[in-house]
Amino acid sequence: MSKLSILESVLFVSSPEGVDINSLKRVLEIPADQIHELLKQLKKKYESDPDSGLTLTNYGSIYRILSKDVNNEFISKIQKVQLKNPLNKTLLEVLAIIVYNSPCPMSKVENIRNADPKSSIEKLLKLGLIVSNKRADGPGRPFLYEPTKEFFNVFGIKKLSDLPKLSDILSEEDEQLYNEIDE
């Protein structure tokens, strides 16, 4: 099996979180410069094939295979058919916390909701409403989550500044609690 094939498979199963170069070095057992060359080949392969619906993206040292943006309209149609009402109250709460605190680590969501948000975040990632493009600089370098283009399309929002101010939608008590958690 070729190294390019292995790389593609590893990236495919690792999405949406993606894989960093160090992990790829351990799996492929080749130096970083060879991995970068393979990544260039894979990116070129996807870009040059008009019949491929995939693209290779990177955010810093994290690489991911995603669907091409030109197909988002069709992907959203199938997701709507498969998931008639995928956003329950918990998912909406987690999504709102991430959107209003973007980029937001999982620990902040957990602190605000006082519950483990991992499965909700995984569902929001699968729905394409959030993405983890970067990591925090602090201990453990946790993923930072933020809304995607799909989020903006689904909710008809052009930019984050179009969202209502928290002070307009939270009760005084909720806002005080939120500010205490935020400190």
Side-chain angles (χ1 to χ4, degrees):
M1 184 173 294
S2 78
K3 296 288 185 187
L4 187 62
S5 174
I6 296 167
L7 173 66
E8 185 175 34
S9 295
V10 168
L11 289 167
F12 180 78
V13 299
S14 299
S15 287
E17 291 83 19
V19 182
D20 64 29
I21 292 294
N22 289 331
S23 297
L24 292 172
K25 281 172 45 179
R26 283 192 300 275
V27 171
L28 296 170
E29 300 175 341
I30 58 175
D33 60 332
Q34 289 180 9
I35 292 172
H36 284 288
E37 192 55 43
L38 289 171
L39 289 164
K40 285 180 190 175
Q41 288 177 28
L42 189 58
K43 186 171 183 77
K44 185 177 180 182
K45 173 184 164 184
Y46 290 144
E47 289 174 352
S48 65
D49 183 358
D51 293 326
S52 173
L54 303 177
T55 186
L56 177 66
T57 62
N58 73 293
Y59 302 96
S61 66
I62 305 292
Y63 290 83
R64 299 173 17 182
I65 292 177
L66 299 174
S67 60
K68 288 182 179 174
D69 287 343
V70 297
N71 295 329
N72 285 350
E73 173 187 345
F74 304 101
I75 292 168
S76 67
K77 285 179 183 177
I78 194 67
Q79 285 178 335
K80 287 176 186 168
V81 169
Q82 290 175 338
L83 307 164
K84 291 189 179 179
N85 189 13
L87 297 177
N88 59 33
K89 182 180 179 217
T90 301
L91 289 178
L92 284 171
E93 286 175 3
V94 170
L95 181 60
I97 292 166
I98 290 170
V99 168
Y100 275 96
N101 293 282
S102 178
C104 179
M106 187 182 302
S107 60
K108 183 158 192 163
V109 178
E110 187 171 9
N111 288 340
I112 292 171
R113 291 199 71 248
N114 201 22
D116 183 5
K118 187 174 181 181
S119 89
S120 296
I121 287 175
E122 286 173 0
K123 287 177 187 172
L124 292 169
L125 285 165
K126 284 181 183 173
L127 290 170
L129 297 175
I130 62 171
V131 67
S132 58
N133 290 339
K134 44 191 156 181
R135 290 180 175 261
D137 290 332
R141 297 193 28 103
F143 284 108
L144 296 173
Y145 299 96
E146 55 192 5
T148 62
K149 289 179 186 176
E150 183 66 15
F151 164 81
F152 290 100
N153 290 339
V154 167
F155 289 93
I157 299 168
K158 290 190 178 16
K159 53 192 181 298
L160 289 177
S161 60
D162 291 344
L163 292 169
K165 303 281 184 251
L166 280 177
S167 58
D168 294 341
I169 57 176
L170 291 177
S171 69
E172 212 171 286
E173 182 180 305
D174 288 339
E175 189 172 5
Q176 182 179 359
L177 176 63
Y178 180 81
N179 289 332
E180 287 173 10
I181 291 169
D182 204 27
E183 293 172 352

